Amino acid sequence: MKKLYVTHKTNYSFEAGPLSGLQQIKKTPYSDSCQMVLDWSLSLKGAKEELSFIDSFNNNVHLIRIEPRTECLVIECKGHVEVADKFGIRGYETSTIPLWVWTEQTNITKPGSNIRKLVKGLSLNDNISDFHKLMELINRSLDFEKNATDVKTTAEAAFKSGYGVCQDFTNIFIACCRLHGLPARYVSGFLLLENNQVQEAMHAWAEVFVEGLGWVGFDTANNVSPDDRYIRVAIGRDYADAAPIKGLTRGVQNECLSVSIMISEQ
């Protein structure tokens, strides 16, 4: 197992602070069959935590209230997580969510003519090699390019443009699986990169349910299955369900955002 240390800091600065604001934070990983959270903390500047809960997808959620007229909001989390390498195979899990939930397309994953053409004639059954072929096909079809898309970009739009970031590669993979009636879900988390401890954003990959194996992960952006460098934080039908920070503010002027993530092996 690898012992990974993560520090994730999000900074907001405002020329004129908000009159009010609420943010939903999903940055806290959980222990399961593939990882063990040894310690984890969330600290705030310019806001206070109102409550914490586990959502319908079993994600850890913190709801924070931004202090009125604050000019600087800092959200920082850090901790140690031990991760096992199971070659992307998470297996079966106890869940109250029926598998059919993961087969339904969302506005983001809904395929158009280009994605339908991509998977035409492609077999996706219970053979694990079929999903590796799909991952490789998508990886070859897109170039990774920062700022080419945003969180509202659909899988179809990203695929048509030929550019995207990890969330776009993930959404396209999910769209293809659901097009074949297969349960697939979005995963948000952290990835330890070689020779690069400092990162600007969290990572994303997909998981598909395969009969005989259970849930299996595929990182289409990197053309690999998740190993002991990956920390799972949240899952959902697409990015919106697993977004690290989501909320609203009132009365904000000239908001500036910066994100810093450091991941290292201990």
Side-chain angles (χ1 to χ4, degrees), residues 196-216:
N196 186 9
Q197 291 187 355
V198 181
Q199 303 172 34
E200 298 176 355
M202 292 178 67
H203 195 50
W205 60 95
E207 290 177 351
V208 61
F209 188 83
V210 181
E211 287 293 342
L213 291 175
W215 290 101
V216 183

Side-chain angles (χ1 to χ4, degrees), residues 27-129:
K27 292 186 183 181
T28 303
Y30 47 86
S31 298
D32 58 21
S33 62
C34 294
Q35 62 187 36
M36 174 67 69
V37 180
L38 303 178
D39 58 81
W40 198 265
S41 64
L42 172 68
S43 60
L44 304 169
K45 177 184 177 182
K48 68 175 182 177
E49 183 175 335
E50 292 293 328
L51 58 91
S52 62
F53 60 94
I54 297 175
D55 69 10
S56 58
F57 297 114
N58 206 38
N59 301 317
N60 291 314
V61 185
H62 298 268
L63 184 66
I64 67 171
R65 183 180 297 277
I66 303 173
E67 296 174 354
R69 305 190 185 283
T70 186
E71 295 184 354
C72 181
L73 170 63
V74 181
I75 305 168
E76 182 176 16
C77 62
K78 57 185 176 181
H80 295 86
V81 182
E82 283 188 344
V83 188
D85 184 1
K86 295 194 174 182
F87 308 99
I89 301 175
R90 296 191 50 77
Y92 291 83
E93 62 184 26
T94 302
S95 175
T96 58
I97 304 174
L99 286 177
W100 63 260
V101 169
W102 306 112
T103 66
E104 295 191 333
Q105 301 284 8
T106 67
N107 290 335
I108 293 293
T109 66
K110 185 178 180 180
S113 59
N114 292 282
I115 288 180
R116 291 181 182 275
K117 184 178 179 181
L118 171 72
V119 298
K120 186 177 182 180
L122 184 66
S123 173
L124 287 179
N125 296 308
D126 295 332
N127 189 337
I128 196 70
S129 64

Side-chain angles (χ1 to χ4, degrees), residues 8 166 189-191 193 198-204 244 259-261 263:
H8 184 183
C166 57
F190 299 108
L191 169 60
L193 298 175
V198 181
Q199 303 172 34
E200 298 176 355
M202 292 178 67
H203 195 50
V259 177
S260 175
I261 301 174
I263 307 172

Side-chain angles (χ1 to χ4, degrees), residues 129-142:
S129 64
D130 292 342
F131 299 101
H132 282 283
K133 289 178 182 178
L134 173 61
M135 178 170 64
E136 293 170 3
L137 180 60
I138 296 172
N139 183 270
R140 292 198 306 267
S141 301
L142 266 74

